Amino acid sequence: MKTDFSILDVSGETCPIPVLRLKKILKTTSAGDKVKLIATDPNTKTDVQRFCQNGKSTLLEYSELAGVYSFLILKV
């Protein structure tokens, strides 16, 4: 199954590594590209929301299931 986004799995990593790795991958993508971030650190929820407020990316979707946090982020 083909997806229309890149997947960045940072499960097991703790703050600030998930957002730093997200920032790094977004630097290599073009406007309009999407990245799905998968994390297990609860602090990631707040960190990603803050990161997306900088105006260079938009949080499209967020979900949590059994301690796994999933974010779909659009680079603008």
Side-chain angles (χ1 to χ4, degrees):
M1 178 172 73
K2 187 171 172 21
T3 60
D4 64 339
F5 52 80
S6 301
I7 297 176
L8 176 59
D9 188 344
V10 292
S11 299
E13 300 287 347
T14 58
C15 177
I17 300 303
V19 170
L20 292 175
R21 292 198 46 208
L22 173 63
K23 185 176 182 179
K24 184 176 180 179
I25 198 169
L26 286 174
K27 283 184 179 183
T28 67
T29 62
S30 302
D33 289 348
K34 296 175 190 170
V35 175
K36 182 169 192 161
L37 176 69
I38 300 168
T40 52
D41 181 0
N43 293 321
T44 306
K45 179 180 177 183
T46 305
D47 294 345
V48 169
Q49 288 173 339
R50 274 196 212 119
F51 176 79
C52 289
Q53 290 173 349
N54 73 11
K56 296 179 183 174
S57 56
T58 302
L59 180 59
L60 299 175
E61 294 176 12
Y62 164 75
S63 65
E64 176 188 350
L65 180 62
V68 177
Y69 306 90
S70 178
F71 308 85
L72 185 60
I73 298 143
L74 172 70
K75 181 174 180 176
V76 293

